[in-house]
Amino acid sequence: MNEPSHANSFFLKQTEGSATQGGVELARTERRGDEVVAERNLRIERERLRLALSAGQMGVYDLSLKDDVLWWSPEVYAVFGVSPETFTLTRDAFTELVHSDDREKYWQHLEECIEQGQHFAHEFRIRRPDGQERWIGNRAETEYDEAGTAVRHFGVATDITERKKAELQTLQNAELFSSLIEQAPIGTYVVDAQLRLRQINPVAMPAFPGIEPLIGRSLEEVTEILWGAELCADLMARFRHTLETGERYISPRFAHERQDIRMEEAYEWEIQRVRLPEGEYGVVCYFNDISPRYRAEKALVESEERVRLATAATGVGIWEWNVITNTVWWDEAMFDIYGIPPRPDGMVQYEDWRDAVLPEDLAENLKILEETVSMGGSSARSFRIRRRSDGVVRHVECVETTRFNEQGQVEWVVGTNLDVTERKLAAEALVRSERFNTAVLDSLPAEIAVLDCEGRIIAINKPWLQFSQDRGEVRMDRVGVGVNYLDVCRKAAAEGDEVAVQTLEGIQSVLEGRAKEFKMEYSCHALDRERWFAMHALHAPPEVGGAIIAHTDITERRALETALVENAKQLTEADRRKDEFLAMLAHELRNPLAPMRNMTEVLKSATLNEEEKQYSLAILTRQLGNMSRMIDDLLDAARITQGKIELRKKVVALEEIVQAAVSLARAEGMKRGQKVLLQLPEEAMHVDADPTRIEQVLGNLLNNARKYSDDGSPIKVSVERDGSEVVITVSDRGVGIDEQLLPRIFELFVQGSRSLERERGGLGIGLTLAERLVRLHGGSIEAKSAGTGQGAEFSVRLPMVMDAKSAATEKRPGTAAAGAVRERARRILIVDDNEDSACSLALLHERRGHETRIAFTGPDALAAAAEFLPEVVILDVGLPGMNGFEVARRIRALPGLADALLVAMSGYGSDEDLAEGKRAGFNEYLVKPVDLKKLREWIR
């Protein structure tokens, strides 16, 4: 589009026209030196003016009303975010850029101003092609011909977006300021432009006793009542000065006699000018009543001058760089930005700028600047500088453009600098604050929402949204920002939801200020599980919202509480069973001790014949075996419970294990006339098991059947295959199992009747051992009974080895005839801190023809071993001081004892204990009470 004839370039044409109107025509070849300088200065001034317009985001436009032709300066194109190369400038095209809500008002106002011959000033919004919305301010005049017809409309367009944002921010700040005044912890009041009281916070009210009304009343009138006419005049002068100049006033300590109460009072106070919401200025006064402190320290009070805080605004700095001469010129604002004292001629060195830029920002900026010079264009940069005057790092935004000389070379680079530190830091702080607040809210495990005073949701965190989605409420219009939470509760309450009724009442009480907080616990079950929540509603200040509500998942806590109650019941029951077990254990241990003590007394008699002696020894041996079995059962139960038992599994034929267990049961059953019937399948069945432990399981079941069956009552054992499992069944016709006891029959220490006259012994751990050993083998055990007196049936299921071609059978040692192996005399050292145990064991071996020595401590044992050179050492592991493992290691190191037989004795017999014995050098390991038969075989 052609430019209007009167303005090819709005500023250049006016200046050149003024030159030609003077009638001066100068030939270039005849220009004098001073005229060349004047022309150069003129170009510089034009460029400076153009840069100032550019920096101020201002442009010139011209509308010919005769032919409706519109012309824009380049700056207007920039303001509207379009390019002359791609944007066809017409009245309609311009209208399209104006915001749809502002178009009608714009043209209506323009037509009214043209018709009435008024100055046109209008602010409106535009929508740039990139979607960005901006505010534009137009100021224009209309030119009329002699007939009074408007022929031309021209003016300036300015981007006022930042100003609009600032105005909005100012309004919001004023509202926030009013709220802060009301909540301020010190006395605060505000007066308007006429110095009438506008707002007084609750803390300030006691300073105005008995004066009514206050709001709307002249501050001067109220001040005169309080302090008298003379002091009132001085105070009002302070207020008027602050209102007129904006100068903040901080009073020194103020102490005078009040005229209304005739008492001296002291205050600390200050006043500041503020912009009120309607746009006019007012004054805010902050004060603290320090009268009590003043009266206490009156003799020491000194006036104190407060420091006046002020922040100077930073303007735009302009600079010019002659690329050819490498000279740089700064205006005064540039010196201020860089903290360098101003120079009269404004000339600086290039190094002044370069050395101020932080090294990490310099390289990129030099690259941009070099490209701008080489390409002859414009550029915009941002960098940080370290201000010379104070060393503070500042953020600077820079815009520059190049200017060519007559030879077409880039001669000048002209630009601007703007200190944007405060703006940048504020923006970064705002972003950090928002991110921090969001991160904090999202990191909390509770579902949190913020409600406004009407109950609408204005913010939620991620857990809130996630919980709603888990419940199937994926629509944001049901759970998200903008939804009225009270309406949701009202709807649920109307449908009979009691939780919603309580929630509605509680949140309303918080929003209305009747309560500071509201708490409740409720169930809110998901689609797949039961869930419990604790809700906490807390009153929030108005600038944050009406209330903050948090829902915390307490499902685990509720489950723990329920579990704790159940555990308490179980612990009570376990404690009861423990007490019963301890009482029963004492009874069971005393049972074998009684005959053992009796037979000990009998053996003291000198008149015993051989038959009586053998009878007494048989009773002692049998009762000792009973005690050993009870202790072994207790140790096995402890090892299994602690996970310390180790199975020695191998593929074995099951029938051999069953037959061995049945053989022992038959021998015991013969004493009471009880027959043990065995039914085995024809096919061989193999299992991967520890033969000893499986035999122990069957032994416990058979022992249980014998104890709880009458004399002569048969016991049946059967083995059969069930798919990939083998089933071993032990059944009897005994006392049976009570239906209430049956579900707990495999629990530790569980037995039937515990009356004192019970004739069936036992600790109540045999079935527990059986169940846990079977489970360790990957099997299961089940108990059945039709009730008391109906007998019982126990079924053990074990996985079969299906592809076993041959099974390793355990060869059980035969019983050699007594005296079949000749016993050779040995030197035996016995070490035990229990003197009775050591001496009795020594006496036994001396009667068998051996030579013995006794030691009761580790050091004594080492001394005896070095002197005696024993062939056999029977060593108690649990010695005081130096334990048996350490003694064994040292004995092995003595000369001549490397091949001695070392036998450990211990009350502990876990796999770990056995392994430690091997490492210490023991050949064998015996668990107390010692198996004397096995010990005799090793010594032979």
Side-chain angles (χ1 to χ4, degrees), residues 14 20 56 128 247 340 374 428 446 511 546 567 587 733 839:
Q14 279 194 353
T20 56
R128 287 182 174 180
E247 185 177 344
I340 298 175
S374 62
E428 291 175 352
L511 290 175
N567 287 343
H587 172 77
R733 299 177 186 175
C839 293

Side-chain angles (χ1 to χ4, degrees), residues 32 79 232 403 426 454 601 605 635 719 747 759 778 802 852:
R32 294 187 300 273
V79 167
C232 172
R403 185 157 51 86
E454 302 298 324
E601 291 298 322
S605 174
L635 291 175
V719 181
E747 294 180 14
E759 56 182 342
M802 308 300 292
T852 64

Side-chain angles (χ1 to χ4, degrees), residues 476-544:
M476 287 302 296
D477 59 351
R478 294 180 62 184
V479 299
V481 174
V483 175
N484 191 300
Y485 195 72
L486 295 182
D487 289 345
V488 175
C489 294
R490 291 188 185 101
K491 182 178 179 182
E495 296 173 355
D497 189 333
E498 184 60 30
V499 172
V501 173
Q502 297 179 41
T503 302
L504 180 62
E505 171 61 25
I507 295 179
Q508 282 181 328
S509 67
V510 172
L511 290 175
E512 294 169 5
R514 291 183 284 115
K516 291 184 177 181
E517 62 178 356
F518 167 70
K519 295 180 179 180
M520 69 174 294
E521 294 184 2
Y522 64 95
S523 62
C524 184
H525 304 323
L527 300 176
D528 57 344
R529 62 192 177 106
E530 181 181 90
R531 299 180 72 176
W532 281 87
F533 287 84
M535 186 183 75
H536 186 195
L538 187 66
H539 183 71
E543 59 268 21
V544 175

